[in-house]
Amino acid sequence: MVSAFEGNRAETKTMLPVIEKFMAARQLPDVTVAADAGMISEANQKAIEAAGLSFILGMKIPDVPYQVAQWRREHPGEDIPDGHVFTQPWPAGPSSKRRDQMIWYQYRADRARRTLRGIDEQVAKAAKAVAGLAPVKRNRFIALDGATKSVNRELEAKARDLAGLKGYVTNLAARPDGTPVTADFVIGSYHELWNIEMVFTQLAKRAVGPLGGGREHVADLDLVAGDDHAVDEQLGQLPALLEAGGGQAGPDGLAECLDAVGDSLQFQLLPGGGVQLALLGEQGGVPAVQVLA
């Protein structure tokens, strides 16, 4: 099943219509959308719930959660154990139109290590730029007050406090087999996206052509999302690509291999009855959103 949309239509406005079309074609009574926060806007999240569907989303953490801060107060000087999960129920209010939600915050030592290394590198670059020893580039740790530059130590401290944490939110009340939803189920379902690079492109207006066209058929890359740059993910910011000189190594580097990607979408069946929404291009299907049926 293929669905095509106008090149100037935002990807956040195409997901739900494609899901509903797929559900109708496959006669599915319900699906659960598993995606990164970069794919699901607040409006999309509300639309998913209004359609009676469920979601499992990776979420950005703007501030240290209360549960994490409380743990640190009760365990001064200790590191959070690797893999530790903090639970935060988020019940709907009396006048709320949404379902009850559950949020889990997971700490991973390796994630913290990578994030802290990134912070060290970016703060060092910021310090050199402030001292006039390097040109000023996009760097979230440089604070500007008129012509005065300084290292934003407050933001640095906040980023270090959040290092290693990743949030997951769901409105699921039960698993497909009827058993209660657990942190392991939600986090495991989300991390099926680890091998999925979400690449959103828009066809250039001057060269609307068939799928798999050359570079001239594709406008600038709008967004690359996934398990993104560790520092940016913690701070809820998009990566400064110029700062790193382009793409990243590892799974996030997949986008560098894509010469052209069309605007059409296709669902592919997954083992176990789920499906994944793919963007089609010259390189073949690039999974973007998994839907657990």
Side-chain angles (χ1 to χ4, degrees):
M1 186 184 75
V2 175
S3 296
F5 300 92
E6 301 87 349
N8 62 354
R9 188 173 179 184
E11 292 84 0
T12 54
K13 296 183 179 180
T14 62
M15 185 182 65
L16 188 59
V18 174
I19 292 174
E20 291 177 332
K21 182 178 178 181
F22 180 83
M23 290 177 64
R26 298 284 178 173
Q27 298 182 341
L28 296 174
D30 188 22
V31 298
T32 295
V33 179
D36 192 81
M39 180 64 181
I40 308 295
S41 65
E42 183 178 355
N44 254 351
Q45 185 171 323
K46 291 180 179 179
I48 289 172
E49 285 212 295
L53 305 179
S54 304
F55 57 76
I56 294 174
L57 305 178
M59 60 179 292
K60 295 178 174 65
I61 308 175
D63 298 292
V64 176
Y66 172 81
Q67 289 82 354
V68 176
Q70 182 182 35
W71 188 95
R72 286 174 171 163
R73 286 192 296 267
E74 295 173 351
H75 303 80
E78 295 183 32
D79 292 331
I80 300 173
D82 185 32
H84 188 80
V85 175
F86 300 90
T87 303
Q88 178 186 334
W90 192 15
S95 59
S96 177
K97 296 181 180 179
R98 68 172 177 84
R99 290 190 238 166
D100 290 345
Q101 297 179 9
M102 185 70 76
I103 301 174
W104 283 283
Y105 303 102
Q106 183 192 53
Y107 176 85
R108 295 303 301 267
D110 185 63
R111 185 189 295 131
R113 178 187 58 77
R114 290 184 286 112
T115 300
L116 291 171
R117 183 178 62 189
I119 293 171
D120 289 340
E121 293 173 354
Q122 293 187 35
V123 169
K125 291 179 182 179
K128 286 184 178 181
V130 169
L133 302 176
V136 177
K137 296 183 179 180
R138 283 188 59 188
N139 188 312
R140 60 194 51 78
F141 294 113
I142 295 178
L144 297 176
D145 184 7
T148 303
K149 302 185 294 290
S150 63
V151 178
N152 191 334
R153 299 297 181 185
E154 183 178 348
L155 183 60
E156 178 190 355
K158 177 180 177 180
R160 292 186 184 280
D161 284 343
L162 290 171
L165 293 170
K166 171 80 177 180
Y168 309 86
V169 60
T170 185
N171 64 349
L172 274 173
R175 298 165 62 172
D177 60 5
T179 58
V181 169
T182 63
D184 286 344
F185 172 78
V186 169
I187 295 172
S189 296
Y190 172 83
H191 279 284
E192 291 295 322
L193 298 172
W194 188 87
N195 290 315
I196 297 175
E197 188 76 12
M198 292 185 284
V199 181
F200 310 114
T201 61
Q202 209 171 44
L203 290 177
K205 291 182 180 179
R206 66 180 179 85
V208 177
L211 293 179
R215 285 180 185 272
E216 65 176 0
H217 294 283
V218 183
D220 293 337
L221 187 67
D222 290 330
L223 176 65
V224 176
D227 260 356
D228 212 335
H229 189 290
V231 178
D232 301 308
E233 186 176 85
Q234 298 302 328
L235 299 178
Q237 299 172 340
L238 293 177
L241 295 179
L242 293 179
E243 178 183 283
Q248 305 169 40
D252 296 323
L254 176 60
E256 298 176 44
C257 303
L258 298 177
D259 288 336
V261 179
D263 246 8
S264 290
L265 304 174
Q266 184 181 42
F267 275 105
Q268 300 172 346
L269 292 177
L270 292 172
V275 296
Q276 60 190 13
L277 180 62
L279 294 170
L280 298 180
E282 204 168 55
Q283 305 296 328
V286 181
V289 176
Q290 240 178 8
V291 182
L292 307 177

